[in-house]
Amino acid sequence: MSDQFDDSDALAQEKHRQRMAAKKKIVDERIARAQEERGVLILLKGNGKGKSSSAFGTMARALGHGQRAAVIQFIKGRKATGEYLFFKDHPRVDFHVMGHGFTWETQDRDQDIAAAQQAWALAERLLQDEHYDFLLFDELSYMIKYGYLDATRIAAALSTRLRNQNVMITGRTMATELQEIADTISVVQDERHAFRLGIKAQAGIEY
Ligand code: ATP
Ligand code: MG
């Protein structure tokens, strides 16, 4: 009985070893093939929670390697966010929040358009500035969705940016023009959210 068990155990071990070896071969081949060195454009979209926090997490990763970063937040909430309070004083982060306090409550469309265009003009300068290794344009997609900014112009600036810059853009929906030029696109799916269970938004989790 115990011999039988040992045999089947050894067989399972061998099968596992073979599977892992085959997997490693595939991964090694892929690694060998990925030789290009340049910055990437990453889009985080979808209705689930986790887009901005993932982008700020990646920025923390870049900063850990001594890189220099800038953030433009295209939508300003009512409360100072934890990410703003944490990163604003970091010596290698320039943190910009779109002017005129655009929020969901603003009523003045012309003022919102002017604020969005001013913020995007800054983004275009950052995309040509060798000082920055990592750029985060948080909630940019809403500006396109509302027609405040032109997707073609944004795509053009992103495509002609400095070769080694990494750029992350978040927002629930992404314009086709941006998806066409992105290197990585992740969809954060909404399966459940505490808000719908009636749980109040809280500091450190929502903002
Ligand atoms: P986070 O900043 O937590 O990573 P996000 O960037 O993916 O979230 P946004 O669409 O920017 O999400 O929404 C911002 C705020 O709305 C956050 O406070 C977040 O917790 C909340 N939120 C995100 N998804 C949902 C949802 N499906 N239902 C309710 N609230 C949500
Ligand atoms: Mg967000």
Side-chain angles (χ1 to χ4, degrees):
M1 185 70 191
S2 94
D3 274 1
Q4 244 176 16
F5 179 76
D6 288 349
D7 282 354
S8 64
D9 199 37
L11 199 67
Q13 288 265 21
E14 177 54 20
K15 269 195 173 155
H16 179 74
R17 198 195 60 75
Q18 282 177 8
R19 258 203 314 271
M20 288 301 128
K23 209 167 244 178
K24 180 173 167 14
K25 187 164 174 273
I26 293 168
V27 173
D28 286 349
E29 279 167 9
R30 283 195 191 140
I31 292 171
R33 242 181 293 144
Q35 284 300 321
E36 196 181 347
E37 283 186 42
R38 63 168 174 84
V40 288
L41 172 62
I42 302 175
L43 307 181
L44 300 179
K45 64 172 193 172
N47 292 327
K49 170 179 164 51
K51 301 174 293 296
S52 296
S53 40
S54 165
F56 281 104
T58 311
M59 186 170 86
R61 185 178 267 178
L63 293 168
H65 289 286
Q67 295 181 19
R68 292 175 301 225
V71 180
I72 304 179
Q73 272 189 318
F74 284 82
I75 286 189
K76 187 181 172 188
R78 270 168 303 173
K79 298 182 178 106
T81 61
E83 55 269 29
Y84 174 73
L85 296 170
F86 184 76
F87 286 113
K88 74 179 169 52
D89 297 324
H90 192 288
R92 279 177 280 109
V93 177
D94 291 327
F95 206 120
H96 306 274
V97 179
M98 197 170 79
H100 305 292
F102 178 97
T103 70
W104 299 115
E105 281 94 46
T106 43
Q107 309 287 330
D108 187 337
R109 188 178 150 85
D110 288 344
Q111 186 183 287
D112 289 346
I113 292 173
Q117 288 181 350
Q118 204 178 9
W120 183 252
L122 169 64
E124 287 183 344
R125 291 199 293 279
L126 301 179
L127 288 163
Q128 295 299 327
D129 191 337
E130 283 184 7
H131 179 79
Y132 300 102
D133 305 295
F134 181 96
L135 300 177
L136 167 52
F137 301 141
D138 193 33
E139 319 294 350
L140 172 65
S141 67
Y142 292 104
M143 301 300 107
I144 301 170
K145 192 177 165 199
Y146 296 148
Y148 295 178
L149 295 176
D150 175 43
T152 309
R153 177 178 163 178
I154 292 176
L158 289 166
S159 305
T160 55
R161 76 184 187 279
L162 295 171
R163 184 176 163 80
N164 291 323
Q165 260 180 359
N166 290 307
V167 180
M168 287 185 88
I169 298 175
T170 75
R172 292 197 177 192
T173 56
M174 286 292 163
T176 328
E177 289 88 337
L178 299 198
Q179 305 212 78
E180 277 166 359
I181 59 164
D183 300 292
T184 298
I185 303 175
S186 293
V187 186
V188 181
Q189 198 186 319
D190 177 26
E191 192 162 308
R192 181 182 300 165
H193 195 286
F195 184 65
R196 290 198 297 281
L197 301 177
I199 301 166
K200 207 175 155 183
Q202 51 186 306
I205 298 293
E206 263 75 40
Y207 58 90

